[in-house]
Amino acid sequence: MTGQITLTRPDDWHLHVRDGQALHTVVPHTAAQFARAIIMPNLRPPVTTTAHALAYKQRILAAVPEGLDFQPLMTLYLTDNLPADEIARARDAGVVALKFYPAGATTNSDAGVTELRKTYATLEAMQRAGMPLLVHGEVTSPEVDLFDREAVFIEKQLIPLRRDFPELKIVFEHITTKEAAQYVAHADRFTAATVTAHHLLFNRNALFSGGIRPHYYCLPVLKREIHRQALVQAVSSGSAKFFLGTDSAPHPAHLKEHASGCAGCYTAHAALEMYAEAFDAAGVLNRLEAFASFNGPAFYGLSRNTGSVTLKRETWTAPESFAFGEAQLKPLRGGESLPWRMV
Ligand code: NCD
Ligand code: ZN
Ligand code: ZN
């Protein structure tokens, strides 16, 4: 049994850090584990211009603790009317990608895209610039069962999008189903996916075990066990198309423990530990380094990090909560013991 594993310093390719006081709680957690992270733009108002992204980046950097070296990779929020000429400006300023939220699909997505056709001039510019499109892949039609929204998205939106933009780099974010895992595994080199630790560790029973558990609620929602197994199989296969994206998504505890609790699981405090647990349970700890540290930079055309992190098989108990501005933040599995610990 492996007792310890050392990895090249990894990156988080899908992260929410919010803004203001919240940054001072969550940015240190991520910076302690990852060299870089792709910062999601779903603030209120959303990050829709290069200028806004650069100002946000400075606020994030101001929350990085002294002595830690951490680089936020910024994104813009695609809307129906984000102008095509913003793409060259964004690329020249170091913005790494655009995020596509179908309007109404998830937290702070009301300004998202109502119809993909409306964004075609901008997508054209992105394809030309080699700028990736990061996709929250769920349809929003109320008549589609919540648990089917990702699979339906592939047929209704992703396949047509891929046909219309054959060389647009697309990251199917936080995939949760066997349909998504299979789609990506068989896709060409312009398509990749991120996988969260919680979707590798849990199925939808976690939402209801012993009572309703709001801290396990995120979008896309946890699925059946066969889907969890398909995700584990995808990351175990060694395919370079799958890489680490925590989708750590902090919300004030009182808004999650609420009659209409918001979607998002906070995992940044123990992200690598949870991935190690999932890979270990599948017997593929040897696949963790490529997933966490190599496949992402290869897809984005960035260099690998230098330095390393070490995880040890050692039980510890994660804190039950953190201060979060005026509120509290309850991390996923807070107060529970975890089998892996970062050294
Ligand atoms: C995310 C958030 O809270 O911003 N929530 C979530 O459930 N994943 C949004 C998202 O990534 O869809
Ligand atoms: Zn999302
Ligand atoms: Zn997210």
Side-chain angles (χ1 to χ4, degrees), residues 14-16 18 40 42 99 101 106 136 173-174 196 219-220 246-249:
H14 183 131
L15 178 69
H16 303 268
R18 314 306 185 202
M40 289 294 138
N42 61 331
K99 182 64 193 265
Y101 292 103
T106 186
H136 180 107
E173 297 288 337
H174 49 41
T196 77
L219 288 169
T246 61
D247 193 24
S248 178

Side-chain angles (χ1 to χ4, degrees), residues 96-172:
V96 297
L98 271 83
K99 182 64 193 265
F100 161 37
Y101 292 103
T106 186
T107 304
N108 296 350
S109 63
D110 346 329
V113 173
T114 61
E115 211 194 309
L116 216 38
R117 284 246 154 234
K118 296 184 175 165
T119 69
Y120 268 26
T122 304
L123 296 181
E124 195 70 62
M126 289 172 61
Q127 179 170 254
R128 230 177 304 119
M131 177 83 93
L133 181 70
L134 315 184
V135 176
H136 180 107
E138 289 191 286
V139 294
T140 53
S141 338
E143 62 279 9
V144 178
D145 190 282
L146 183 82
F147 291 90
D148 297 334
R149 288 181 184 179
E150 184 174 280
V152 172
F153 180 88
I154 299 170
E155 299 302 320
K156 290 258 156 65
Q157 303 226 36
L158 196 51
I159 292 172
L161 174 67
R162 178 43 83 216
R163 191 190 51 227
D164 292 346
F165 296 95
E167 301 202 346
L168 177 65
K169 283 188 175 184
I170 295 176
V171 184
F172 198 168

